[in-house]
Amino acid sequence: MKAGKLLEIDESFDTLIIGGGITGAGIFRDLSLHGAKTLMIDKKDFGSQTSHKSSKMFHGGIRYMESGNFGLVWEALHEKNLWLKIAPHLCKEMPFHMPAFKESKYPAWMLGIGLTMYDALSGFQNSNHKMSNREQTLEQVPHLKSVGLGGSGIYYDAVIDDSKVTLEAIYDGLESSESAALNYVELVEFHHCDDFCTVLLKDSLTGDERKIKAKNVVFATGPFTDILLDKFSEIPWRPCMLSSKGSHIWISHKKLPLNNPLVMQTKEGRLIFAIPQKEMILVGTTEIIIDGDLFDLKASEDEINYLLDNLKNYFPTAEIKREDVLSSYAGVRPLVKSTGGISAGKTARNHKIFNPFSNVHVVVGGKLTTFRVMGQKITKAVVKGIGQKYDKNRTKNPLRKQSVFGSFDIIRKVSKNDIERSLCEEHVRTFDDLLKRRMSIPSRSHWEADENFDKFFTDLLPMMNKYIDVSEQDISNFR
Ligand SMILES: Cc1cc2nc3c(=O)[nH]c(=O)nc-3n(C[C@H](O)[C@H](O)[C@H](O)COP(=O)(O)OP(=O)(O)OC[C@H]3O[C@@H](n4cnc5c(N)ncnc54)[C@H](O)[C@@H]3O)c2cc1C
């Protein structure tokens, strides 16, 4: 087994962040930009859990307007418009078509009013919405059902490579200071003293263990928070998470030739999306309350069929079948229980911060889109504690390091040099990390390069094994 870096790092830090999803990555970046010596760890690969299982949108959340959560929509739209400017390589604006049918909750005229409000909530930074009549809509959206169609509204949100933005936030943090970030390292023991915490960390690939001291600890463990904190009796914690599973499917663009995202309303009145990305269409999502193990979930056949049924209803002439599903994935929304009912759809997406001790912070909930601002309160407290002035605008600067593989490129010709650079520079520890999150290839069926998948990677084995452990079996098992 190739050595990890756990045994090489310092043994004391200003802050330890547990969880390297987008929430932890955002706090890590902010703290590092302020010169706080920070260590971030993740039990799995960075950005491999919820932050890689999203609908891949930076958006205001059109449906949160329905529940009157205008504050969240305002904040998310401002964040979306900021990221379009500072990370255009990761975040791309697209026109979202929202058709109105006879049976839709909102007729076209009402859509117009809603979309005007949406633009207003962005401080009119959004590209302005438009309205299309029935004929224009049918021209703009191939295969869309025509029965009962009145027209459509078109508003502007953004698509994003979710795990790449997580990784690049981490790379940016690593550019400054004495900070460090370790994947496949988990928290095993936790002890609290007034001024600092002592933790035992374990590298799950090598088995190495190390004791670390940190003045502050931040839990940014998303939906896994209740399960993790339940293990440490020293931390007073009342479970608060509502685990809501959401699944997606990828369909080939040849089968459903959409050029722009489409918003669909299900029979139960939920909104689901079909979003073109990389010559494929991403369709999601479902919403199911679950419990038990939340790591590396899979979409169930029922969920896949539910998404397919909705697609068939909207695109009757496209003749989409089960075999047109290239791949699927599932994640868990880190929702925080509201005092009211337990409907996942109606639970607010706002984040919450808890302090079981003054130097132990737990941040839960929120959205990918608002990650930059979610941890600012925590960061401010830590930065003040090390005698520095906090500047909430520092994270508005562009990310300083870009990924080797671009976000929206279709890989037809893979450069072996790029693979070696990624292995060497991008914290890759397994073959899965390289393929899924550095090269953005969700499964074998998404391989677009001219070369044969198995032969290509088998020829690279000697080079790859200089950096990570990979076998022919790993290559053939990649599905
Ligand atoms: C189906 C779905 C669709 C969504 N779509 C969107 C969208 O389009 N736009 C949007 O803005 N938001 C969206 N969201 C919400 C968004 O994805 C989440 O809010 C965000 O990714 C949560 O990030 P996180 O860092 O809090 O959690 P995670 O990404 O899950 O990160 C938590 C990390 O903690 C680690 N961890 C757990 N236990 C330990 C331990 N013991 N030691 C060390 N590490 C540990 C995990 O490995 C994990 O990497 C969606 C969510 C879902 C589920």
Side-chain angles (χ1 to χ4, degrees):
M1 181 55 62
K2 296 277 176 306
K5 300 253 187 293
L6 181 60
L7 301 182
E8 293 170 19
I9 56 164
D10 277 2
E11 56 185 4
S12 96
F13 287 86
D14 291 323
T15 307
L16 167 68
I17 302 172
I18 318 287
I22 192 73
T23 310
I27 298 170
F28 178 73
R29 175 177 178 237
D30 204 357
L31 282 172
S32 301
L33 286 173
H34 283 88
K37 185 179 171 188
T38 306
L39 170 65
M40 185 176 72
I41 58 155
D42 198 292
K43 183 175 172 167
K44 305 265 180 168
D45 188 22
F46 302 127
S48 65
Q49 299 301 308
T50 327
S51 301
H52 187 41
K53 311 295 168 74
S54 80
S55 300
K56 309 189 192 300
M57 291 186 283
F58 260 23
H59 63 153
I62 196 95
R63 71 195 178 92
Y64 309 134
M65 290 210 306
E66 227 182 10
S67 50
N69 200 344
F70 299 119
L72 178 63
V73 177
W74 184 90
E75 184 175 65
L77 283 173
H78 281 73
E79 284 304 302
K80 180 247 321 185
N81 285 312
L82 172 74
W83 284 98
L84 280 170
K85 284 193 206 110
I86 64 172
H89 64 293
L90 288 174
C91 189
K92 193 164 78 173
E93 183 177 75
M94 291 192 99
F96 282 63
H97 290 247
M98 197 169 185
F101 294 92
K102 235 196 229 150
E103 68 275 18
S104 300
K105 245 198 240 171
Y106 304 111
W109 67 268
M110 247 200 224
L111 270 186
I113 297 175
L115 297 182
T116 305
M117 277 174 67
Y118 198 61
D119 290 345
L121 285 167
S122 75
F124 295 103
Q125 291 180 73
N126 279 356
S127 299
N128 281 341
H129 81 274
K130 298 181 200 125
M131 299 303 291
S132 288
N133 63 25
R134 177 187 153 86
E135 285 66 38
Q136 289 165 329
T137 305
L138 287 172
E139 240 171 64
Q140 288 156 346
V141 188
H143 294 294
L144 184 67
K145 76 170 168 183
S146 55
V147 184
L149 179 69
S152 60
I154 303 167
Y155 67 94
Y156 290 82
D157 264 334
V159 294
I160 186 126
D161 186 327
D162 48 8
S163 57
K164 282 273 164 72
V165 69
T166 308
L167 286 166
E168 289 193 18
I170 298 170
Y171 302 155
D172 194 36
L174 288 169
E175 286 286 293
S176 21
S177 75
E178 311 149 275
S179 294
L182 302 175
N183 46 357
Y184 296 94
V185 170
E186 74 173 300
L187 177 68
V188 180
E189 279 175 26
F190 175 94
H191 301 290
H192 179 259
C193 292
D194 288 343
D195 299 336
F196 59 88
C197 304
T198 312
V199 296
L200 179 67
L201 306 180
K202 180 176 181 173
D203 185 314
S204 57
L205 298 184
T206 60
D208 293 335
E209 289 191 341
R210 181 91 191 270
K211 272 206 168 122
I212 299 283
K213 271 186 183 176
K215 288 185 201 138
N216 299 275
V217 174
V218 179
F219 286 89
T221 38
F224 312 98
T225 305
D226 280 348
I227 297 170
L228 178 61
L229 292 186
D230 189 48
K231 286 190 196 157
F232 305 114
S233 53
E234 246 185 64
I235 305 177
W237 184 249
R238 279 215 350 240
C240 68
M241 304 304 298
L242 181 65
S243 307
S244 157
K245 184 184 178 198
S247 294
H248 289 84
I249 52 176
W250 286 104
I251 305 271
S252 148
H253 187 262
K254 286 186 200 103
K255 196 69 206 181
L256 186 58
L258 279 184
N259 294 322
N260 297 310
L262 188 88
V263 187
M264 299 173 276
Q265 188 191 301
T266 67
K267 287 190 189 99
E268 320 82 74
R270 297 182 57 245
L271 296 184
I272 61 173
F273 294 86
I275 305 173
Q277 265 193 52
K278 284 194 168 198
E279 294 189 11
M280 289 173 288
I281 310 292
L282 178 64
V283 185
T285 170
T286 57
E287 199 147 320
I288 303 168
I289 301 293
I290 54 160
D291 52 22
D293 188 6
L294 305 177
F295 278 103
D296 301 319
L297 295 178
K298 305 251 180 299
S300 70
E301 267 312 300
D302 282 353
E303 288 176 289
I304 294 172
N305 287 330
Y306 168 84
L307 295 172
L308 279 175
D309 287 347
N310 278 292
L311 269 190
K312 286 180 197 160
N313 178 31
Y314 266 73
F315 302 100
T317 53
E319 295 181 3
I320 300 159
K321 300 187 192 69
R322 176 65 180 85
E323 54 269 30
D324 298 319
V325 177
L326 291 172
S327 68
S328 61
Y329 63 84
V332 190
R333 295 174 190 82
L335 304 183
V336 188
K337 272 181 199 154
S338 51
T339 35
I342 54 153
S343 152
K346 294 206 165 67
T347 302
R349 267 52 176 174
N350 302 66
H351 72 277
K352 291 216 168 105
I353 294 171
F354 299 93
N355 283 97
F357 302 106
S358 62
N359 58 346
V360 175
H361 315 264
V362 183
V363 52
V364 279
K367 287 162 61 69
L368 198 70
T369 314
T370 51
F371 83 95
R372 192 188 64 88
V373 288
M374 277 172 59
Q376 282 188 332
K377 223 169 115 187
I378 298 174
T379 321
K380 192 174 174 184
V382 173
V383 168
K384 271 186 159 177
I386 57 164
Q388 301 283 333
K389 204 163 167 258
Y390 181 64
D391 172 4
K392 69 176 176 15
N393 291 322
R394 202 163 287 181
T395 47
K396 287 187 179 169
N397 290 318
L399 302 165
R400 286 167 294 177
K401 198 165 184 296
Q402 292 191 10
S403 305
V404 171
F405 293 95
S407 281
F408 300 110
D409 307 342
I410 295 128
I411 303 179
R412 301 225 190 274
K413 188 95 203 124
V414 192
S415 146
K416 292 176 187 171
N417 281 346
D418 283 349
I419 292 184
E420 181 150 20
R421 200 147 70 81
S422 178
L423 287 166
C424 179
E425 295 172 10
E426 297 194 311
H427 293 250
V428 178
R429 295 199 65 195
T430 71
F431 188 60
D432 222 54
D433 302 345
L434 174 69
L435 271 282
K436 290 195 173 155
R437 289 167 292 278
R438 307 313 185 273
M439 297 177 76
S440 304
I441 298 170
S443 79
R444 177 181 284 260
S445 52
H446 297 248
W447 178 248
E448 295 278 351
D450 301 333
E451 289 99 325
N452 171 281
F453 181 91
D454 290 280
K455 177 165 184 337
F456 180 79
F457 284 104
T458 308
D459 287 350
L460 290 188
L461 273 174
M463 182 277 282
M464 291 196 289
N465 275 312
K466 282 199 281 177
Y467 304 94
I468 56 171
D469 292 317
V470 200
S471 63
E472 280 192 37
Q473 195 66 44
D474 294 324
I475 297 169
S476 60
N477 282 350
F478 184 77
R479 286 281 164 262

